[in-house]
Amino acid sequence: MNTEDILNMEADVLVVGSGGAGMSAALAASQAGSRVVMADRSLISRGGATVMAQMTVAVALGEQVPDDWRYHYADTLKAGRGLCNEPLARLLCEKGIDSIRLMDGWGVGWARDGNHLAQAIAPGHDRPRCVYVDYLNTGPAVAKTLRTQVVHDGRIQRLGDILIVDLLVEDGRIAGAVALHLTTGQRMLIRAPAVVIATGGLTRLYKRNSASLNMGGDGYALALRAGARLIDMEFVQFFPIGHLAPRLVGFDPIMWDPFRYKLGGRLLNGLGEEFVEKYGHAAEQEGYTVTRDAATYAILKEVEAGRGSPAGGAYLSFQHVPEAELRKAFGPIIKKLAANGIDLTKMPIEVSPIAHYHMGGIRVDVTMATDVPGLYAAGEAVGGANGANRLSGNAITEAITFGLQAGRSAAAYAQTLLPVDQARADTLAAPTLAWLAAKSPAPAKSPNAAALIVKLQDIMQTYVGPFRTEAGLEQALREIAQLRGELGDVLPAASTGPQDPMRVDALDLHNMLLVAEAVARSALSRRESRGAHQRDDYPGLDDAWVLNQTLSWRDGQWTLAKQAVERLDPALIQAGANFEQVGQA
Ligand SMILES: Cc1cc2nc3c(=O)[nH]c(=O)nc-3n(C[C@H](O)[C@H](O)[C@H](O)COP(=O)(O)OP(=O)(O)OC[C@H]3O[C@@H](n4cnc5c(N)ncnc54)[C@H](O)[C@@H]3O)c2cc1C
């Protein structure tokens, strides 16, 4: 193999991904004295979900009304339907307070209500707890604030347009990564004793999703191939009120959530009737109260019963809200809606569930360490903290808090270690580098990976979506195997130039197929309905399933195991022992 055209780099800590989790990890590791490289397949801080977040950031600041992290923790566990990893949930709720105050100190611009931070109520929270940046500007503000801090830090090496293709493992320990510069096609080898995976979620696996293109679950595939375990992969959150109709340009499909936080809004079936109470939930007279898993279930069951809206969802109506109130809450947005021909005082819009977030992910302990020494994970890439269903607003708090923790842990781990030497790294990287450089079939003979991705998204939506059955999940696994056969092992190449979208599609699809299989296998194994995992053939909760599932993948073989949910002693939490005493237990 010719290694001359390979760009070699070295770091103490390599952070993969530059969303909220990645930037937080990079900052913490750099401040702890590590040499940090942060690589992202997109522009730094501008890809992934963080920059898209709309409004809520859940944290028990007690600014709007008295609050305590223990109440937030109790709500998180309740929403997680018994499956939350309690040390991780506790880290999120308790240390989340410091993270969100830190962001405030960095000038993120949390909305204020008089002389305190404004906190909105969101479903599943027992009190107003979500800070935000008006108007639908939370994600961009969080991303910009962290980006500014990264720039001020001055020592973090930022590499945009870099796809991390695979991790290097030496004697069971992390040794670095192989990467591809997407614009030039240049192959890279990055030596690092510690790597933080902060690649976000997997919702691109689904046909109807709120994701950007870079959310195909790369981090889960990287972790699996490196020998780490995943946890609770079956729990994909469908956001119930994704925009469906009429056509809407220039908005995110989940934009109606903030409207519901501020204005309530009525969820109606195709006959104009309120329906959530039919499914065992209190009618939403007091505003927006039904959690995401429950609302998704209710909407899809109404559609199944033939009571959906014309486009196949439910109506969301703000017609009862006076125009002045609408304008006060969403002034500039109301104007943009008018440009789309939408007047909320006169018409309802149609909404339906859309794949949005992943509760499962890479299994970590409370230091964010995986099973593989040197490998850490943070943010949505991590599984377990939110159990079977996530509360609104927990994800941004999770991204920043877990990111900071992962950065600190990775830096402490890397402190006494040198990167593996170049010759050894060349040997470890050789198979992947050779794969990336291999002569491929003529484009005409190459599989059309983009078309296969669309097929996969259809399969996942149909068989591994909000409602699942044994027959459907088995069908999904057969079709995933078939797609793998069609894709083959050799990477295709376009005939023109170094920038090679066909090759990137194929790399993406390799990962997406592995991750899709992980979701389908876990879903097939869990024979009950809990939170975001609803089995038509096993309706209802089953106490025998109050456990987590882990998955590992070695030499093409899957191992699925059940494990007890990690709990904390409630007596210690009531007594107020601090995180260091309880969380590390
Ligand atoms: C539309 C939308 C609205 C949301 N609104 C809210 C909200 O209001 N409140 C809330 O709490 N949560 C919200 N969420 C969820 C929340 O935004 C995410 O869970 C959170 O931002 C995830 O942060 P992260 O840093 O883990 O991942 P991301 O922000 O997704 O960042 C992952 C990064 O990894 C990069 N990457 C991926 N693979 C590779 C690879 N192989 N090599 C290199 N780089 C790679 C990506 O390019 C991306 O930049 C929303 C999500 C969406 C999609």
PDB file of all heavy atoms in Angstrom, residues 31-67:
ATOM      1  N   GLN A  31      -9.136  22.151  28.487  1.00  0.00           N
ATOM      2  CA  GLN A  31      -8.891  22.872  29.740  1.00  0.00           C
ATOM      3  C   GLN A  31      -8.160  21.997  30.761  1.00  0.00           C
ATOM      4  O   GLN A  31      -7.487  22.504  31.652  1.00  0.00           O
ATOM      5  CB  GLN A  31     -10.201  23.414  30.302  1.00  0.00           C
ATOM      6  CG  GLN A  31     -10.586  24.718  29.577  1.00  0.00           C
ATOM      7  CD  GLN A  31     -12.081  25.012  29.607  1.00  0.00           C
ATOM      8  OE1 GLN A  31     -12.783  24.504  30.474  1.00  0.00           O
ATOM      9  NE2 GLN A  31     -12.542  25.805  28.654  1.00  0.00           N
ATOM     10  N   ALA A  32      -8.271  20.680  30.594  1.00  0.00           N
ATOM     11  CA  ALA A  32      -7.537  19.780  31.486  1.00  0.00           C
ATOM     12  C   ALA A  32      -6.114  19.543  30.991  1.00  0.00           C
ATOM     13  O   ALA A  32      -5.379  18.724  31.555  1.00  0.00           O
ATOM     14  CB  ALA A  32      -8.281  18.449  31.597  1.00  0.00           C
ATOM     15  N   GLY A  33      -5.731  20.208  29.913  1.00  0.00           N
ATOM     16  CA  GLY A  33      -4.336  20.145  29.471  1.00  0.00           C
ATOM     17  C   GLY A  33      -4.058  19.205  28.317  1.00  0.00           C
ATOM     18  O   GLY A  33      -2.899  19.031  27.924  1.00  0.00           O
ATOM     19  N   SER A  34      -5.091  18.588  27.758  1.00  0.00           N
ATOM     20  CA  SER A  34      -4.865  17.657  26.632  1.00  0.00           C
ATOM     21  C   SER A  34      -4.730  18.400  25.313  1.00  0.00           C
ATOM     22  O   SER A  34      -5.339  19.450  25.107  1.00  0.00           O
ATOM     23  CB  SER A  34      -6.047  16.692  26.513  1.00  0.00           C
ATOM     24  OG  SER A  34      -6.027  15.747  27.531  1.00  0.00           O
ATOM     25  N   ARG A  35      -3.969  17.786  24.401  1.00  0.00           N
ATOM     26  CA  ARG A  35      -3.961  18.267  23.015  1.00  0.00           C
ATOM     27  C   ARG A  35      -5.174  17.630  22.339  1.00  0.00           C
ATOM     28  O   ARG A  35      -5.272  16.409  22.255  1.00  0.00           O
ATOM     29  CB  ARG A  35      -2.694  17.809  22.284  1.00  0.00           C
ATOM     30  CG  ARG A  35      -1.406  18.458  22.776  1.00  0.00           C
ATOM     31  CD  ARG A  35      -0.219  17.763  22.136  1.00  0.00           C
ATOM     32  NE  ARG A  35      -0.267  16.320  22.371  1.00  0.00           N
ATOM     33  CZ  ARG A  35       0.266  15.398  21.555  1.00  0.00           C
ATOM     34  NH1 ARG A  35       0.886  15.739  20.470  1.00  0.00           N
ATOM     35  NH2 ARG A  35       0.179  14.105  21.852  1.00  0.00           N
ATOM     36  N   VAL A  36      -6.085  18.467  21.879  1.00  0.00           N
ATOM     37  CA  VAL A  36      -7.371  17.949  21.385  1.00  0.00           C
ATOM     38  C   VAL A  36      -7.515  18.200  19.886  1.00  0.00           C
ATOM     39  O   VAL A  36      -7.255  19.301  19.410  1.00  0.00           O
ATOM     40  CB  VAL A  36      -8.549  18.634  22.121  1.00  0.00           C
ATOM     41  CG1 VAL A  36      -9.884  18.142  21.589  1.00  0.00           C
ATOM     42  CG2 VAL A  36      -8.458  18.399  23.628  1.00  0.00           C
ATOM     43  N   VAL A  37      -7.929  17.147  19.180  1.00  0.00           N
ATOM     44  CA  VAL A  37      -8.381  17.306  17.801  1.00  0.00           C
ATOM     45  C   VAL A  37      -9.880  17.029  17.805  1.00  0.00           C
ATOM     46  O   VAL A  37     -10.318  16.012  18.341  1.00  0.00           O
ATOM     47  CB  VAL A  37      -7.667  16.319  16.849  1.00  0.00           C
ATOM     48  CG1 VAL A  37      -8.365  16.282  15.499  1.00  0.00           C
ATOM     49  CG2 VAL A  37      -6.202  16.699  16.676  1.00  0.00           C
ATOM     50  N   MET A  38     -10.661  17.951  17.239  1.00  0.00           N
ATOM     51  CA  MET A  38     -12.114  17.724  17.127  1.00  0.00           C
ATOM     52  C   MET A  38     -12.451  17.662  15.639  1.00  0.00           C
ATOM     53  O   MET A  38     -12.199  18.619  14.902  1.00  0.00           O
ATOM     54  CB  MET A  38     -12.885  18.865  17.801  1.00  0.00           C
ATOM     55  CG  MET A  38     -14.386  18.728  17.682  1.00  0.00           C
ATOM     56  SD  MET A  38     -15.281  19.905  18.730  1.00  0.00           S
ATOM     57  CE  MET A  38     -14.796  21.463  18.010  1.00  0.00           C
ATOM     58  N   ALA A  39     -12.967  16.505  15.217  1.00  0.00           N
ATOM     59  CA  ALA A  39     -13.244  16.309  13.789  1.00  0.00           C
ATOM     60  C   ALA A  39     -14.741  16.153  13.565  1.00  0.00           C
ATOM     61  O   ALA A  39     -15.422  15.496  14.340  1.00  0.00           O
ATOM     62  CB  ALA A  39     -12.521  15.063  13.294  1.00  0.00           C
ATOM     63  N   ASP A  40     -15.225  16.753  12.493  1.00  0.00           N
ATOM     64  CA  ASP A  40     -16.654  16.619  12.170  1.00  0.00           C
ATOM     65  C   ASP A  40     -16.812  16.446  10.666  1.00  0.00           C
ATOM     66  O   ASP A  40     -16.121  17.094   9.879  1.00  0.00           O
ATOM     67  CB  ASP A  40     -17.435  17.854  12.618  1.00  0.00           C
ATOM     68  CG  ASP A  40     -18.923  17.565  12.717  1.00  0.00           C
ATOM     69  OD1 ASP A  40     -19.557  17.267  11.674  1.00  0.00           O
ATOM     70  OD2 ASP A  40     -19.452  17.614  13.846  1.00  0.00           O
ATOM     71  N   ARG A  41     -17.729  15.604  10.293  1.00  0.00           N
ATOM     72  CA  ARG A  41     -17.961  15.373   8.867  1.00  0.00           C
ATOM     73  C   ARG A  41     -18.660  16.572   8.220  1.00  0.00           C
ATOM     74  O   ARG A  41     -18.717  16.669   6.987  1.00  0.00           O
ATOM     75  CB  ARG A  41     -18.770  14.100   8.653  1.00  0.00           C
ATOM     76  CG  ARG A  41     -20.099  14.070   9.344  1.00  0.00           C
ATOM     77  CD  ARG A  41     -20.830  12.762   9.085  1.00  0.00           C
ATOM     78  NE  ARG A  41     -21.102  12.617   7.670  1.00  0.00           N
ATOM     79  CZ  ARG A  41     -21.546  11.499   7.092  1.00  0.00           C
ATOM     80  NH1 ARG A  41     -21.762  10.432   7.816  1.00  0.00           N
ATOM     81  NH2 ARG A  41     -21.776  11.457   5.807  1.00  0.00           N
ATOM     82  N   SER A  42     -19.168  17.444   9.060  1.00  0.00           N
ATOM     83  CA  SER A  42     -19.849  18.629   8.543  1.00  0.00           C
ATOM     84  C   SER A  42     -18.990  19.849   8.892  1.00  0.00           C
ATOM     85  O   SER A  42     -17.843  19.702   9.294  1.00  0.00           O
ATOM     86  CB  SER A  42     -21.207  18.685   9.219  1.00  0.00           C
ATOM     87  OG  SER A  42     -21.955  19.738   8.730  1.00  0.00           O
ATOM     88  N   LEU A  43     -19.546  21.048   8.777  1.00  0.00           N
ATOM     89  CA  LEU A  43     -18.826  22.225   9.264  1.00  0.00           C
ATOM     90  C   LEU A  43     -18.836  22.186  10.787  1.00  0.00           C
ATOM     91  O   LEU A  43     -19.842  21.778  11.390  1.00  0.00           O
ATOM     92  CB  LEU A  43     -19.529  23.504   8.800  1.00  0.00           C
ATOM     93  CG  LEU A  43     -19.444  23.824   7.323  1.00  0.00           C
ATOM     94  CD1 LEU A  43     -20.360  24.998   7.000  1.00  0.00           C
ATOM     95  CD2 LEU A  43     -18.013  24.146   6.952  1.00  0.00           C
ATOM     96  N   ILE A  44     -17.776  22.661  11.411  1.00  0.00           N
ATOM     97  CA  ILE A  44     -17.719  22.617  12.876  1.00  0.00           C
ATOM     98  C   ILE A  44     -18.939  23.335  13.467  1.00  0.00           C
ATOM     99  O   ILE A  44     -19.226  24.483  13.115  1.00  0.00           O
ATOM    100  CB  ILE A  44     -16.404  23.277  13.376  1.00  0.00           C
ATOM    101  CG1 ILE A  44     -15.203  22.419  12.976  1.00  0.00           C
ATOM    102  CG2 ILE A  44     -16.436  23.526  14.888  1.00  0.00           C
ATOM    103  CD1 ILE A  44     -15.085  21.063  13.648  1.00  0.00           C
ATOM    104  N   SER A  45     -19.628  22.610  14.339  1.00  0.00           N
ATOM    105  CA  SER A  45     -20.797  23.092  15.104  1.00  0.00           C
ATOM    106  C   SER A  45     -22.036  23.385  14.264  1.00  0.00           C
ATOM    107  O   SER A  45     -23.032  23.850  14.776  1.00  0.00           O
ATOM    108  CB  SER A  45     -20.450  24.311  15.950  1.00  0.00           C
ATOM    109  OG  SER A  45     -20.874  25.500  15.355  1.00  0.00           O
ATOM    110  N   ARG A  46     -21.964  23.098  12.973  1.00  0.00           N
ATOM    111  CA  ARG A  46     -23.131  23.453  12.142  1.00  0.00           C
ATOM    112  C   ARG A  46     -23.848  22.233  11.559  1.00  0.00           C
ATOM    113  O   ARG A  46     -24.784  22.364  10.797  1.00  0.00           O
ATOM    114  CB  ARG A  46     -22.709  24.400  11.038  1.00  0.00           C
ATOM    115  CG  ARG A  46     -22.380  25.793  11.585  1.00  0.00           C
ATOM    116  CD  ARG A  46     -21.917  26.695  10.461  1.00  0.00           C
ATOM    117  NE  ARG A  46     -21.836  28.069  10.870  1.00  0.00           N
ATOM    118  CZ  ARG A  46     -20.743  28.660  11.363  1.00  0.00           C
ATOM    119  NH1 ARG A  46     -19.646  27.945  11.549  1.00  0.00           N
ATOM    120  NH2 ARG A  46     -20.743  29.935  11.668  1.00  0.00           N
ATOM    121  N   GLY A  47     -23.378  21.030  11.923  1.00  0.00           N
ATOM    122  CA  GLY A  47     -24.090  19.833  11.471  1.00  0.00           C
ATOM    123  C   GLY A  47     -24.785  19.217  12.676  1.00  0.00           C
ATOM    124  O   GLY A  47     -24.641  19.676  13.794  1.00  0.00           O
ATOM    125  N   GLY A  48     -25.526  18.146  12.451  1.00  0.00           N
ATOM    126  CA  GLY A  48     -26.111  17.435  13.589  1.00  0.00           C
ATOM    127  C   GLY A  48     -27.321  18.137  14.167  1.00  0.00           C
ATOM    128  O   GLY A  48     -27.861  19.093  13.590  1.00  0.00           O
ATOM    129  N   ALA A  49     -27.746  17.671  15.334  1.00  0.00           N
ATOM    130  CA  ALA A  49     -29.032  18.095  15.897  1.00  0.00           C
ATOM    131  C   ALA A  49     -28.932  19.345  16.760  1.00  0.00           C
ATOM    132  O   ALA A  49     -29.909  20.083  16.887  1.00  0.00           O
ATOM    133  CB  ALA A  49     -29.628  16.962  16.718  1.00  0.00           C
ATOM    134  N   THR A  50     -27.762  19.591  17.375  1.00  0.00           N
ATOM    135  CA  THR A  50     -27.704  20.682  18.348  1.00  0.00           C
ATOM    136  C   THR A  50     -28.143  21.997  17.727  1.00  0.00           C
ATOM    137  O   THR A  50     -28.978  22.723  18.285  1.00  0.00           O
ATOM    138  CB  THR A  50     -26.286  20.804  18.938  1.00  0.00           C
ATOM    139  OG1 THR A  50     -25.947  19.557  19.531  1.00  0.00           O
ATOM    140  CG2 THR A  50     -26.207  21.912  19.970  1.00  0.00           C
ATOM    141  N   VAL A  51     -27.604  22.271  16.559  1.00  0.00           N
ATOM    142  CA  VAL A  51     -27.892  23.552  15.921  1.00  0.00           C
ATOM    143  C   VAL A  51     -29.365  23.629  15.477  1.00  0.00           C
ATOM    144  O   VAL A  51     -29.894  24.711  15.222  1.00  0.00           O
ATOM    145  CB  VAL A  51     -26.901  23.777  14.749  1.00  0.00           C
ATOM    146  CG1 VAL A  51     -27.268  22.936  13.540  1.00  0.00           C
ATOM    147  CG2 VAL A  51     -26.774  25.245  14.393  1.00  0.00           C
ATOM    148  N   MET A  52     -30.048  22.471  15.428  1.00  0.00           N
ATOM    149  CA  MET A  52     -31.455  22.456  14.994  1.00  0.00           C
ATOM    150  C   MET A  52     -32.435  22.560  16.161  1.00  0.00           C
ATOM    151  O   MET A  52     -33.642  22.687  15.938  1.00  0.00           O
ATOM    152  CB  MET A  52     -31.747  21.140  14.259  1.00  0.00           C
ATOM    153  CG  MET A  52     -30.912  20.930  13.028  1.00  0.00           C
ATOM    154  SD  MET A  52     -31.107  19.241  12.417  1.00  0.00           S
ATOM    155  CE  MET A  52     -32.622  19.395  11.507  1.00  0.00           C
ATOM    156  N   ALA A  53     -31.926  22.423  17.395  1.00  0.00           N
ATOM    157  CA  ALA A  53     -32.852  22.352  18.543  1.00  0.00           C
ATOM    158  C   ALA A  53     -33.708  23.612  18.587  1.00  0.00           C
ATOM    159  O   ALA A  53     -33.254  24.714  18.294  1.00  0.00           O
ATOM    160  CB  ALA A  53     -32.090  22.177  19.834  1.00  0.00           C
ATOM    161  N   GLN A  54     -34.959  23.410  18.967  1.00  0.00           N
ATOM    162  CA  GLN A  54     -35.918  24.487  18.828  1.00  0.00           C
ATOM    163  C   GLN A  54     -36.035  25.348  20.079  1.00  0.00           C
ATOM    164  O   GLN A  54     -35.875  26.546  20.030  1.00  0.00           O
ATOM    165  CB  GLN A  54     -37.290  23.881  18.545  1.00  0.00           C
ATOM    166  CG  GLN A  54     -37.302  23.042  17.310  1.00  0.00           C
ATOM    167  CD  GLN A  54     -37.611  23.861  16.091  1.00  0.00           C
ATOM    168  OE1 GLN A  54     -38.732  24.316  15.942  1.00  0.00           O
ATOM    169  NE2 GLN A  54     -36.656  24.065  15.242  1.00  0.00           N
ATOM    170  N   MET A  55     -36.319  24.689  21.192  1.00  0.00           N
ATOM    171  CA  MET A  55     -36.650  25.552  22.309  1.00  0.00           C
ATOM    172  C   MET A  55     -36.182  25.046  23.657  1.00  0.00           C
ATOM    173  O   MET A  55     -35.442  25.725  24.345  1.00  0.00           O
ATOM    174  CB  MET A  55     -38.158  25.799  22.341  1.00  0.00           C
ATOM    175  CG  MET A  55     -38.550  26.773  23.447  1.00  0.00           C
ATOM    176  SD  MET A  55     -40.199  27.402  23.247  1.00  0.00           S
ATOM    177  CE  MET A  55     -40.646  27.667  24.932  1.00  0.00           C
ATOM    178  N   THR A  56     -36.565  23.837  24.062  1.00  0.00           N
ATOM    179  CA  THR A  56     -36.475  23.531  25.486  1.00  0.00           C
ATOM    180  C   THR A  56     -35.131  22.987  25.938  1.00  0.00           C
ATOM    181  O   THR A  56     -34.532  22.149  25.285  1.00  0.00           O
ATOM    182  CB  THR A  56     -37.528  22.472  25.854  1.00  0.00           C
ATOM    183  OG1 THR A  56     -37.426  21.428  24.902  1.00  0.00           O
ATOM    184  CG2 THR A  56     -38.903  23.049  25.868  1.00  0.00           C
ATOM    185  N   VAL A  57     -34.698  23.444  27.099  1.00  0.00           N
ATOM    186  CA  VAL A  57     -33.515  22.910  27.764  1.00  0.00           C
ATOM    187  C   VAL A  57     -33.912  22.710  29.230  1.00  0.00           C
ATOM    188  O   VAL A  57     -34.061  23.667  29.992  1.00  0.00           O
ATOM    189  CB  VAL A  57     -32.330  23.878  27.639  1.00  0.00           C
ATOM    190  CG1 VAL A  57     -31.119  23.342  28.370  1.00  0.00           C
ATOM    191  CG2 VAL A  57     -31.984  24.122  26.168  1.00  0.00           C
ATOM    192  N   ALA A  58     -34.111  21.446  29.614  1.00  0.00           N
ATOM    193  CA  ALA A  58     -34.680  21.158  30.937  1.00  0.00           C
ATOM    194  C   ALA A  58     -33.604  21.176  32.007  1.00  0.00           C
ATOM    195  O   ALA A  58     -32.581  20.498  31.883  1.00  0.00           O
ATOM    196  CB  ALA A  58     -35.360  19.786  30.910  1.00  0.00           C
ATOM    197  N   VAL A  59     -33.849  21.924  33.049  1.00  0.00           N
ATOM    198  CA  VAL A  59     -32.868  22.033  34.124  1.00  0.00           C
ATOM    199  C   VAL A  59     -33.535  22.661  35.352  1.00  0.00           C
ATOM    200  O   VAL A  59     -34.263  23.638  35.241  1.00  0.00           O
ATOM    201  CB  VAL A  59     -31.642  22.856  33.655  1.00  0.00           C
ATOM    202  CG1 VAL A  59     -32.041  24.240  33.182  1.00  0.00           C
ATOM    203  CG2 VAL A  59     -30.573  22.934  34.705  1.00  0.00           C
ATOM    204  N   ALA A  60     -33.266  22.075  36.517  1.00  0.00           N
ATOM    205  CA  ALA A  60     -33.952  22.509  37.742  1.00  0.00           C
ATOM    206  C   ALA A  60     -33.260  23.726  38.356  1.00  0.00           C
ATOM    207  O   ALA A  60     -32.669  23.651  39.435  1.00  0.00           O
ATOM    208  CB  ALA A  60     -34.002  21.357  38.739  1.00  0.00           C
ATOM    209  N   LEU A  61     -33.353  24.856  37.660  1.00  0.00           N
ATOM    210  CA  LEU A  61     -32.714  26.070  38.186  1.00  0.00           C
ATOM    211  C   LEU A  61     -33.552  26.706  39.285  1.00  0.00           C
ATOM    212  O   LEU A  61     -33.033  27.469  40.101  1.00  0.00           O
ATOM    213  CB  LEU A  61     -32.512  27.094  37.067  1.00  0.00           C
ATOM    214  CG  LEU A  61     -31.598  26.698  35.912  1.00  0.00           C
ATOM    215  CD1 LEU A  61     -31.513  27.833  34.900  1.00  0.00           C
ATOM    216  CD2 LEU A  61     -30.210  26.342  36.414  1.00  0.00           C
ATOM    217  N   GLY A  62     -34.848  26.442  39.270  1.00  0.00           N
ATOM    218  CA  GLY A  62     -35.720  27.054  40.272  1.00  0.00           C
ATOM    219  C   GLY A  62     -35.825  28.553  40.107  1.00  0.00           C
ATOM    220  O   GLY A  62     -36.043  29.278  41.080  1.00  0.00           O
ATOM    221  N   GLU A  63     -35.710  29.055  38.878  1.00  0.00           N
ATOM    222  CA  GLU A  63     -35.813  30.503  38.653  1.00  0.00           C
ATOM    223  C   GLU A  63     -37.276  30.934  38.500  1.00  0.00           C
ATOM    224  O   GLU A  63     -37.661  31.985  38.992  1.00  0.00           O
ATOM    225  CB  GLU A  63     -35.032  30.888  37.396  1.00  0.00           C
ATOM    226  CG  GLU A  63     -33.536  30.677  37.524  1.00  0.00           C
ATOM    227  CD  GLU A  63     -32.771  31.989  37.626  1.00  0.00           C
ATOM    228  OE1 GLU A  63     -33.355  33.044  37.382  1.00  0.00           O
ATOM    229  OE2 GLU A  63     -31.573  31.926  37.968  1.00  0.00           O
ATOM    230  N   GLN A  64     -38.053  30.110  37.805  1.00  0.00           N
ATOM    231  CA  GLN A  64     -39.449  30.476  37.546  1.00  0.00           C
ATOM    232  C   GLN A  64     -40.320  30.155  38.759  1.00  0.00           C
ATOM    233  O   GLN A  64     -41.142  30.951  39.173  1.00  0.00           O
ATOM    234  CB  GLN A  64     -39.945  29.697  36.320  1.00  0.00           C
ATOM    235  CG  GLN A  64     -41.281  30.122  35.788  1.00  0.00           C
ATOM    236  CD  GLN A  64     -41.174  31.393  34.953  1.00  0.00           C
ATOM    237  OE1 GLN A  64     -40.142  31.660  34.364  1.00  0.00           O
ATOM    238  NE2 GLN A  64     -42.234  32.183  34.942  1.00  0.00           N
ATOM    239  N   VAL A  65     -40.117  28.940  39.282  1.00  0.00           N
ATOM    240  CA  VAL A  65     -40.792  28.491  40.510  1.00  0.00           C
ATOM    241  C   VAL A  65     -39.745  27.682  41.267  1.00  0.00           C
ATOM    242  O   VAL A  65     -38.788  27.203  40.669  1.00  0.00           O
ATOM    243  CB  VAL A  65     -42.018  27.586  40.191  1.00  0.00           C
ATOM    244  CG1 VAL A  65     -43.109  28.337  39.460  1.00  0.00           C
ATOM    245  CG2 VAL A  65     -41.599  26.357  39.391  1.00  0.00           C
ATOM    246  N   PRO A  66     -39.908  27.483  42.568  1.00  0.00           N
ATOM    247  CA  PRO A  66     -38.928  26.683  43.305  1.00  0.00           C
ATOM    248  C   PRO A  66     -38.781  25.293  42.664  1.00  0.00           C
ATOM    249  O   PRO A  66     -39.753  24.713  42.199  1.00  0.00           O
ATOM    250  CB  PRO A  66     -39.527  26.582  44.705  1.00  0.00           C
ATOM    251  CG  PRO A  66     -40.414  27.778  44.810  1.00  0.00           C
ATOM    252  CD  PRO A  66     -40.956  28.028  43.441  1.00  0.00           C
ATOM    253  N   ASP A  67     -37.564  24.799  42.630  1.00  0.00           N
ATOM    254  CA  ASP A  67     -37.316  23.490  42.004  1.00  0.00           C
ATOM    255  C   ASP A  67     -36.074  22.873  42.637  1.00  0.00           C
ATOM    256  O   ASP A  67     -35.334  23.541  43.393  1.00  0.00           O
ATOM    257  CB  ASP A  67     -37.124  23.670  40.481  1.00  0.00           C
ATOM    258  CG  ASP A  67     -37.383  22.390  39.685  1.00  0.00           C
ATOM    259  OD1 ASP A  67     -37.652  21.335  40.295  1.00  0.00           O
ATOM    260  OD2 ASP A  67     -37.315  22.445  38.446  1.00  0.00           O
TER     261      ASP A  67
END
